[in-house]
Amino acid sequence: MEYRRTAVIKLKTPDGADSLLRETVEQFKHCANTASEWCWHGDDGHHVTSKAKAERELYDRLRDETDLTANLVQKGIRRAVEATKSGVSRLERGESTSQPHFSADSVVYDKRSATFHRDHVSLSTPDGRVECDYILPDDSETPPTKYVSKDDYEFRMGHLQYRNGDWYLHASMRKVEEDTEPDTEHRTVLGVDLGVNNIAVASTGTFWSANEFNHWNREYEKRRGSLGQCGSREAHENIERIGRKAEGRFTISLHTVANELIREAVENECSHIVFEDLTHIRENVPDATWHHQWAFRRLYGYVEYKADEHGLEVVQVDPRNTSKRCSTCGFTHDENRHQGSFECQQCGYENHADYNAAKNIGLQYLRRRQNAGDGGAPVDVRLNRGTLNVSGEYVPPASTEA
């Protein structure tokens, strides 16, 4: 099993290092913006989204124009290619956008351009390396100390960022644990449905509305569209600032939903949180914009890494027919669902369509466990009161009477 964490570490820079890191940032942005200009317009009038092609064209030139190591030049080019890919996807969806411009003070480091230690990091600059100590909380169980100080978490890469006069390293870390013997203990799962009107609905009947997300998404798109028509450098920088502001707002909101989903699972004594597989989310939720798809994936990621702290496991299941299937009798038909309402054409069961889907997502995991090669373990889906087993049988909550 693999666990991923991002440790945000404040750095203590030695004398003289600040100017070197600033120069690194400026030269890295030069690489990214030069590559963005070339990728966006291309040498044949088409956008370039091939990393190999961009590196063949730009690598030697940018090595001559900067004092960065080969690895940092490549990282700058690749950052521009990824941003160009994102812009092309927006154009294909008929949305307004413009050439990416990089103004944020950040640099991407991996193990070839940085050496990560448990108490400091060595970073490549245009004039050799600088070593920066970590400033960490004293409590060994408080992030980021919890991850940085433990050998079982491995450094993968890091984003150096300059904010409000200080340098920070956003270190991507990974821990891999060998799978133990098959789990035969009883499992209780919380099914979670993701959607456009409700960002998440749990099988316990708890809803998280997407109204605020949708409102601010429309507002930011309006602002970006208006600025995109200007075409000036200042407009591009304002678009980038709006993008960062929007992402910040949405990130806080999604963290809140993730925390509440974890709390819902803990309070209902669940062992697993079950989501639908997000691989084909565009087909499964046809009304979802790319903003919703981004939010679904980000929310899943937040829940996945937060769950580990509470001993919960997060899994995905095949979402086919979860919106059309009756969670009571199992009858599946296109006519069962009418927008936000669900009414089974066979047994007459009625409920909110997203709530019915959340129960089905939990039941999908039950059926998968029932067919597991190891024989599986008993599994129930947690509802707002009681549980539902794989046979569709409702089990009421235990009596509290003496």
Side-chain angles (χ1 to χ4, degrees):
M1 185 177 295
E2 182 175 294
Y3 303 93
R4 293 183 181 270
R5 300 289 183 271
T6 299
V8 181
I9 308 165
K10 188 174 182 179
L11 300 179
K12 180 181 179 181
T13 56
D15 292 341
D18 189 71
S19 60
L20 290 174
L21 293 178
R22 285 177 177 273
E23 183 61 26
T24 307
V25 165
E26 292 306 315
Q27 293 193 23
F28 187 83
K29 287 194 289 187
H30 172 73
C31 289
N33 284 318
T34 300
S36 175
E37 172 74 21
W38 186 83
C39 289
W40 193 253
H41 298 289
D43 55 357
D44 56 359
H46 295 89
H47 302 303
V48 176
T49 57
S50 166
K51 293 178 184 177
K53 186 175 182 179
E55 286 184 8
R56 282 196 304 269
E57 177 68 26
L58 300 169
Y59 174 77
D60 290 339
R61 169 187 166 186
L62 291 173
R63 282 303 306 275
D64 291 339
E65 292 178 356
T66 68
D67 297 311
L68 298 178
T69 61
N71 180 258
L72 288 179
V73 169
Q74 291 172 332
K75 284 287 188 289
I77 295 172
R78 292 173 184 178
R79 172 173 277 192
V81 172
E82 290 302 319
T84 301
K85 283 183 181 178
S86 178
V88 169
S89 295
R90 296 190 66 179
L91 291 174
E92 290 174 348
R93 294 191 295 268
E95 301 171 3
S96 60
T97 190
S98 56
Q99 175 191 321
H101 177 74
F102 303 93
S103 60
D105 293 332
S106 66
V107 181
V108 180
Y109 284 93
D110 64 14
K111 291 183 178 180
R112 287 177 291 175
S113 51
T115 304
F116 302 100
H117 300 276
R118 295 295 163 182
D119 59 352
H120 71 282
V121 64
S122 172
L123 300 170
S124 174
T125 76
D127 188 18
R129 289 200 170 216
V130 298
E131 293 190 351
C132 304
D133 292 334
Y134 300 152
I135 301 175
L136 298 169
D138 292 333
D139 186 352
S140 62
E141 292 303 313
T142 300
T145 308
K146 180 175 183 178
Y147 309 123
V148 174
S149 62
K150 295 183 178 180
D151 291 337
D152 51 354
Y153 277 97
E154 172 193 6
F155 285 90
R156 304 292 291 172
M157 62 182 301
H159 286 71
L160 180 70
Q161 296 187 10
Y162 184 73
R163 299 196 307 272
N164 302 322
D166 292 308
W167 293 97
Y168 294 85
L169 182 70
H170 291 239
S172 299
M173 312 191 73
R174 182 182 70 168
K175 179 173 75 170
V176 178
E177 292 182 349
E178 293 185 5
D179 292 336
T180 57
E181 296 180 1
D183 182 8
T184 57
E185 294 183 0
H186 188 282
R187 305 176 182 203
T188 301
V189 305
L190 182 74
V192 180
D193 179 61
L194 304 174
V196 174
N197 296 320
N198 295 294
I199 196 74
V201 177
S203 58
T204 51
T206 302
F207 286 65
W208 287 268
S209 172
N211 287 346
E212 185 174 1
F213 177 90
N214 292 334
H215 166 74
W216 284 109
N217 180 33
R218 289 191 296 267
E219 287 296 312
Y220 287 129
E221 278 301 291
K222 260 190 237 175
R223 296 178 198 176
R224 275 193 287 249
S226 177
L227 289 167
Q229 296 176 359
C230 299
S232 66
R233 172 60 60 84
E234 183 180 2
H236 292 323
E237 291 178 352
N238 284 334
I239 289 173
E240 191 170 325
R241 278 195 291 271
I242 288 173
R244 290 197 298 271
K245 186 175 181 180
E247 183 172 351
R249 179 186 289 273
F250 295 148
T251 295
I252 292 172
S253 175
L254 292 171
H255 268 296
T256 300
V257 175
N259 289 334
E260 292 177 359
L261 272 168
I262 294 292
R263 190 179 308 122
E264 188 80 4
V266 171
E267 290 178 352
N268 286 280
E269 300 180 340
C270 296
S271 57
H272 290 64
I273 301 177
V274 185
F275 287 84
E276 57 191 296
D277 190 328
L278 302 180
T279 304
H280 303 292
I281 192 68
R282 291 185 67 179
E283 291 79 7
N284 299 326
V285 188
D287 293 335
T289 66
W290 74 271
H291 297 94
H292 291 99
Q293 295 161 31
W294 169 87
F296 297 157
R297 292 187 171 89
R298 187 65 66 90
L299 177 61
Y300 175 83
Y302 291 160
V303 172
E304 187 178 35
Y305 84 75
K306 291 172 187 287
D308 179 46
E309 305 294 323
H310 300 273
L312 297 167
E313 188 173 340
V314 181
V315 295
Q316 294 182 342
V317 296
D318 187 341
R320 283 178 294 182
N321 295 324
T322 52
S323 64
K324 305 174 191 176
R325 182 186 178 96
C326 177
S327 59
T328 298
C329 72
F331 180 68
T332 303
H333 197 279
D334 289 344
E335 295 298 318
N336 281 351
R337 177 164 186 162
H338 301 277
Q339 296 182 340
S341 300
F342 185 92
E343 182 178 358
C344 180
Q345 303 302 298
Q346 179 165 285
C347 73
Y349 170 75
E350 295 183 51
N351 215 314
H352 194 287
D354 294 342
Y355 175 56
N356 178 75
K359 290 197 290 182
N360 277 327
I361 289 168
L363 287 167
Q364 194 83 311
Y365 179 74
L366 269 63
R367 285 187 283 272
R368 189 174 82 182
R369 288 298 304 165
Q370 188 182 43
N371 297 325
D374 60 4
V379 186
D380 294 323
V381 177
R382 180 65 67 185
L383 307 180
N384 56 347
R385 285 181 59 80
T387 58
L388 196 66
N389 64 26
V390 72
S391 301
E393 298 171 342
Y394 170 72
V395 180
S399 173
T400 57
E401 296 179 1

